[in-house]
Amino acid sequence: MQDRFRFRQLCVVFVVLCMAALIGSSYSARGEGGGPRYFAVVNARIIPGTGTVIANGTVVIAKGLIQAVGANVTAPPEAWVIDGKGLTVYPGLIDAGTDLGLPKEESAESPVTGRGRRRAAPPSGEIAKGPEDRPGTSPWRVAADELKTDDKRIETWRNAGFTTTLAVPHGGIFPGQATVIDLAGDRSGDYVVKAMATLPISFKPVGGFWGFPDSLMGSIAYVRQVFDDSNWYAQAEPIYESNVTKFERLPYDRTERVIARGVRDKEIVLLPANNSAQILRALRLADEWKINAVLYGGQQGYEVAAAIAAKSMPVLVSLKWPAREKDADPDAEQTLRELRFRDRAPSSPAALAKAGVKFAFYSGGLSTPKDIFKNVKKAIDAGLSPDVALRAFTADAADILGLGDRMGSITPGKIADLTVTDGDIFNEKTKVKYVFVDGRWFEIHEEPPAEKSGDHKTEGSPDASGKRLATEAELGR
């Protein structure tokens, strides 16, 4: 009898353990597990991004959000406390234009023609003969749907202090919708902050030798036609829906449907504009097309900063400063205009700031964060205030992307995206010690990882991605 009773007890214990395991795995799959949800960085210098610098304060993080920040904030008993003595806490950095996490566009091989020049290979599909064929147009694509979280650059950018990027698809005149992502998550959906954040446009001809459009003028004319068609659709659709028996049925065109929705919702449209002529043209086109435009490129803004300011047009400035091609003919002549542009391009951010233009930085194809910071240093040396440079990576970047209400500064209620360093963030000797992405803690190790006597030590060990995991004792506090 006693043995039967013990057997029943063991069965009950076994069932309870199985249920606990199932519940635990369910929480883990939803991103609820894998580490503590409450943190407090104490005794740290805090740069809120907006407002006064806090010389010695505390930041409290709760369930992915900033709960409190200030000099007199007390760490709650459930928080995992990190001693920030000698460290500085910044808002997480935002790269406002990358292809991080996106598949590479495949380019067809081009046959060599006379004098070593290449002619575009004939397209494999149907050749566009006019705007009605919708060449290079896929605005229904959304970067969030194509996100590849195994892109090794994600960890590289995160380890350098970047917590957020605008992932911009490439290929064509309307390549698709760009997505704001945070650089951490258990699955791709966890990365997405705003799926349809901006609609990038390129004026680069896609027809080449074979089809339409084969020139800059043709590309601009085509974009104009797309906006005209979309505006017509936006007006015609409600008229038809109000009386379907009176009017002819509208043909389905998903380009018109998507563009019309974006214009109606005042979605940000990114217009290419790098030199002064392109910038002035983009300002005119934005007025003509009545779109919520943001310029990208902006490297010759030093010549037309006043005109940009007059239109209150934000700018995304590419940090890939103009330079001579590495494989260029050393004997080839260089014009004075080219030389002047290379010399003065890093002064554009300072000129934009002086004129009152809001701008943000993007990496623009730079291969490493080290190159990003090196080129920011050039802008600072050319007259840009470090405080303004920081805003271009944080608060101003968030505002331009329409996300100033949830990121860009260390403010209660905003997403807990933080970068913790051992010095000034623009000093080349400064090291990133910790990064928080959506409240997830990553401890950044130097290569090869080595424990030093002066490091801040807590129990637990990092996983393969560098993320610190709490011990059972810490989770139970």
Side-chain angles (χ1 to χ4, degrees):
M1 189 74 172
Q2 189 174 5
D3 290 339
R4 184 181 300 176
F5 178 75
R6 287 179 178 174
F7 176 77
R8 287 180 179 177
Q9 281 186 317
L10 289 173
C11 288
V12 171
V13 171
F14 178 77
V15 170
V16 170
L17 289 174
C18 288
M19 291 179 64
L22 287 171
I23 294 172
S25 64
S26 173
Y27 272 94
S28 179
R30 290 165 44 205
E32 298 288 331
R37 307 295 316 277
Y38 300 88
F39 297 90
V41 183
V42 302
N43 304 320
R45 180 171 177 259
I46 301 170
I47 313 292
T50 56
T52 306
V53 173
I54 301 170
N56 191 331
T58 296
V59 181
V60 177
I61 296 170
K63 296 183 178 180
L65 300 177
I66 297 169
Q67 186 179 71
V69 57
N72 300 313
V73 171
T74 301
E78 67 272 21
W80 188 359
V81 177
I82 301 170
D83 186 3
K85 185 176 181 181
L87 303 179
T88 302
V89 183
Y90 292 94
L93 303 184
I94 301 171
D95 185 340
T98 74
D99 62 354
L100 259 65
L102 298 181
K104 296 290 185 183
E105 294 291 333
E106 295 183 3
S107 57
E109 291 295 327
S110 301
V112 178
T113 62
R115 297 184 181 179
R117 292 177 296 177
R118 291 182 178 269
R119 175 180 292 174
S124 57
E126 187 176 349
I127 299 173
K129 297 180 177 65
E132 67 277 2
D133 293 332
R134 297 284 190 245
T137 299
S138 52
W140 54 85
R141 287 177 59 200
V142 181
D145 298 333
E146 302 176 7
L147 200 60
K148 305 295 183 184
T149 59
D150 58 353
D151 188 335
K152 296 183 183 302
R153 296 175 301 164
I154 290 176
E155 183 178 356
T156 301
W157 255 247
R158 187 178 64 223
N159 288 350
F162 288 91
T163 60
T164 309
T165 70
L166 178 68
V168 184
H170 294 282
I173 297 173
F174 289 92
Q177 314 249 350
T179 297
V180 175
I181 62 171
D182 267 359
L183 302 182
D186 294 326
R187 56 188 182 86
S188 59
D190 296 335
Y191 285 66
V192 177
V193 178
K194 187 174 184 180
M196 294 179 285
T198 70
L199 178 69
I201 293 177
S202 169
F203 291 148
K204 185 177 180 180
V206 296
F209 180 80
W210 305 98
F212 172 87
D214 62 354
S215 66
L216 173 63
M217 183 180 295
S219 294
I220 294 175
Y222 172 65
V223 174
R224 178 181 284 112
Q225 185 67 54
V226 169
F227 278 116
D228 286 345
D229 291 347
S230 300
N231 287 334
W232 177 87
Y233 179 86
Q235 297 174 48
E237 184 186 33
I239 296 174
Y240 171 74
E241 294 293 343
S242 66
N243 195 337
V244 296
T245 61
K246 185 177 180 181
F247 300 105
E248 184 179 2
R249 177 176 55 83
L250 296 176
Y252 174 74
D253 187 312
R254 58 177 173 172
T255 291
E256 293 176 6
R257 182 180 290 270
V258 172
I259 299 293
R261 177 202 56 77
V263 173
R264 180 199 66 202
D265 295 345
K266 298 188 182 302
E267 183 177 338
I268 297 167
V269 178
L270 299 182
L271 291 181
N274 201 44
N275 63 40
S276 57
Q278 293 168 349
I279 291 170
L280 295 176
R281 179 181 64 211
L283 294 176
R284 292 194 301 270
L285 293 176
D287 280 343
E288 176 189 337
W289 296 336
K290 296 179 175 56
I291 54 177
N292 180 23
V294 171
L295 309 184
Y296 71 92
Q299 293 184 332
Q300 211 167 48
Y302 57 85
E303 286 194 350
V304 289
I308 302 172
K311 294 293 185 180
S312 300
M313 187 80 69
V315 181
L316 303 182
V317 178
S318 172
L319 283 170
K320 191 174 183 179
W321 302 126
R324 193 176 191 185
E325 296 292 337
K326 292 182 179 179
D327 57 352
D329 182 354
D331 297 326
E333 291 186 4
Q334 301 179 68
T335 67
L336 181 60
R337 174 178 287 272
E338 289 174 336
L339 295 172
R340 183 183 293 118
F341 183 28
R342 292 175 199 162
D343 179 62
R344 296 193 60 189
S347 71
S348 281
L352 294 174
K354 185 177 180 180
V357 176
K358 183 172 288 189
F359 68 92
F361 285 129
Y362 70 101
S363 53
L366 293 173
S367 58
T368 68
K370 183 178 179 180
D371 292 331
I372 295 175
F373 288 109
K374 181 175 70 175
N375 285 2
V376 171
K377 182 63 165 54
K378 291 181 180 179
I380 292 173
D381 291 342
L384 181 65
S385 162
D387 290 341
V388 177
L390 178 63
R391 287 186 62 93
F393 278 120
T394 55
D396 287 346
D399 286 343
I400 291 172
L401 297 176
L403 297 170
D405 60 341
R406 69 197 79 174
M407 60 173 48
S409 64
I410 306 177
T411 305
K414 291 192 175 183
I415 297 172
D417 291 337
L418 304 173
T419 298
V420 185
T421 70
D422 63 3
D424 183 275
I425 200 162
F426 296 127
N427 188 316
E428 63 180 357
K429 295 183 179 180
T430 293
K431 293 181 176 59
V432 176
K433 307 301 287 185
Y434 309 112
V435 174
F436 289 88
V437 183
D438 279 323
R440 298 166 180 262
W441 183 30
F442 294 83
E443 185 173 19
I444 312 304
H445 295 282
E446 296 181 57
E447 293 294 339
E451 191 169 297
K452 300 178 182 179
S453 59
D455 287 345
H456 302 279
K457 296 181 181 179
T458 52
E459 293 183 3
S461 59
D463 66 8
S465 67
K467 182 177 178 181
R468 275 283 264 103
L469 304 181
T471 62
E472 292 181 1
E474 287 169 324
L475 289 172
R477 284 192 302 181

